[in-house]
């Protein structure tokens, strides 16, 4: 039943509802079902780049990722990788907590508060199960949905299918499959990401500054600055809500 419903959603039939909030929040994929795809996509990305495993940048990425993960209070088996890709201003968190940061984002984040803003946002996508929700939303092709339901591993999929699946769960950039999250998912990840940064002891006011730096960069669309809404509009909105979020989180205590 679940399988046929998912295949139905993968077809054009769902399109009349694709923008609707109910569909946007429906998730027909469990964490366990996404686990092999997440693990394989992570391994696949790691074969494309040199992994940096020591040094000041690595220590910083690990430290920020650990604090943000703890602040999320999500019981994932968290992993983090720093990948050497100076021309890629990007980062992602796959379903079940597999984080990757490309070196190309560090000149933009500039400091730990900036990195916390990016990782807060990415971790929020994973905690909110946006990967499974996107898979449910009919963003997969029928071929990709069938391959997943047949239990096919990422390595066994054709290159096109693999690109689509990796794009939907958030690691498609290097496959040229950049699938922006919906406006609704982006806003949710922005707000929750700010909460995580505050709980982890970072200055949330760096987030809007980061968006402004990103707007200056212009070209290139890393996941966390997908084209909607515009980065400057996003910065403005965050500046409005940050004081209230600080107030709401000031008594937060880890469980
Ligand atoms: Zn995002």
């Amino acid at each position: 039943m679940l399988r046929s419903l998912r295949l139905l959603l993968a077809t054009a039939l769902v399109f009349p509802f694709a923008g609707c909030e109910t569909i946007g929040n429906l998730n027909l994929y469990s964490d366990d079902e996404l686990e092999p795809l997440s693990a394989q996509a992570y391994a696949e990305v790691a074969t494309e780049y040199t992994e940096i495993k020591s040094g000041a940048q690595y220590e910083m990425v690990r430290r920020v990722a650990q604090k943000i993960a703890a602040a999320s209070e999500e019981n994932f088996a968290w992993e983090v990788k720093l990948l050497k890709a100076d021309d890629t201003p990007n980062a992602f968190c796959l379903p079940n907590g597999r984080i990757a940061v490309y070196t190309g984002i560090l000149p933009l984040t500039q400091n730990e508060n900036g990195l916390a803003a990016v990782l807060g946002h990415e971790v929020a996508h994973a905690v909110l199960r946006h990967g499974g929700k996107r898979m449910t939303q009919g963003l997969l092709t029928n071929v990709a949905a069938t391959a997943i339901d047949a239990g096919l591993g990422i390595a066994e999929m054709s290159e096109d299918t693999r690109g689509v699946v990796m794009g939907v769960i958030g690691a498609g950039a290097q496959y040229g499959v950049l699938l922006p999250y919906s406006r609704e998912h982006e806003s949710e990840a922005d707000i929750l990401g700010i909460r995580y940064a505050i709980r982890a002891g970072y200055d949330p006011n760096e987030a809007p500054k980061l968006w402004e730096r990103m707007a200056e960069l212009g070209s290139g669309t890393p996941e966390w600055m997908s084209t909607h809404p515009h980065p400057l509009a996003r910065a403005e909105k965050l500046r409005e809500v940050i004081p209230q979020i600080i107030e709401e989180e000031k008594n937060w205590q880890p469980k």
Side-chain angles (χ1 to χ4, degrees):
M1 169 56 199
L2 198 55
R3 185 168 297 190
S4 56
L5 184 53
R6 289 198 302 226
L7 286 174
L8 179 70
L9 285 164
T11 70
L13 284 174
V14 75
F15 270 73
F17 312 106
C20 135
E21 204 173 312
T22 313
I23 292 286
N25 279 314
L26 186 64
N27 182 11
L28 299 176
Y29 292 87
S30 69
D31 291 352
D32 284 350
E33 279 181 294
L34 292 178
E35 176 57 20
L37 293 177
S38 167
Q40 291 161 19
Y42 203 50
E44 179 85 18
V45 171
T47 64
E48 304 276 325
Y49 302 97
T50 305
E51 199 179 331
I52 296 170
K53 295 182 174 179
S54 63
Q57 288 188 332
Y58 170 75
E59 294 302 331
M60 175 182 71
V61 166
R62 264 177 55 107
R63 181 166 59 241
V64 175
Q66 258 169 18
K67 286 188 190 178
I68 293 290
S72 78
E73 302 195 305
E74 181 65 57
N75 192 23
F76 288 152
W78 298 96
E79 287 182 67
V80 60
K81 290 185 195 297
L82 174 61
L83 302 171
K84 177 79 177 158
D86 291 340
D87 54 355
T88 307
N90 210 353
F92 62 77
C93 181
L94 294 178
N96 301 336
R98 293 184 174 85
I99 299 166
V101 174
Y102 297 85
T103 50
I105 207 169
L106 300 177
L108 277 162
T109 53
Q110 287 187 4
N111 53 58
E112 285 197 41
N113 295 318
L115 185 59
V118 169
L119 291 186
H121 177 95
E122 294 304 327
V123 162
H125 276 309
V127 171
L128 294 164
R129 271 61 177 183
H130 285 166
K133 288 174 182 174
R134 293 212 302 181
M135 283 173 55
T136 306
Q137 276 177 320
L139 287 165
L140 287 175
T141 60
N142 208 340
V143 175
T146 305
I148 290 167
D149 276 333
L152 233 56
I154 279 193
E156 300 160 299
M157 295 174 186
S158 73
E159 204 165 317
D160 284 355
T161 304
R162 183 187 310 153
V164 169
V165 172
M166 290 183 65
V168 173
I169 64 175
Q174 61 272 39
Y175 284 82
V177 183
L178 197 74
L179 278 175
Y181 285 92
S182 67
R183 184 182 287 261
E184 180 199 359
H185 286 175
E186 283 306 305
S187 300
E188 281 178 5
D190 278 351
I191 301 293
L192 192 56
I194 292 285
R195 290 191 192 282
Y196 293 164
I198 293 168
R199 292 176 194 174
Y202 292 109
D203 178 5
N205 295 302
E206 192 66 23
K209 292 182 196 162
L210 176 69
W211 288 107
E212 283 158 3
R213 291 199 286 274
M214 215 55 222
E216 271 173 42
L217 188 78
S219 64
T221 46
E223 189 290 310
W224 51 275
M225 70 148 309
S226 67
T227 49
H228 52 206
H230 187 277
L232 288 180
R234 214 160 174 169
E236 198 182 326
K237 186 177 170 204
L238 283 178
R239 282 218 165 83
E240 273 170 38
V241 298
I242 281 172
Q244 191 192 331
I245 302 177
I246 290 173
E247 187 62 25
E248 287 169 6
E249 295 295 333
K250 73 178 181 198
N251 295 320
W252 180 82
Q253 292 288 336
K255 278 179 198 154

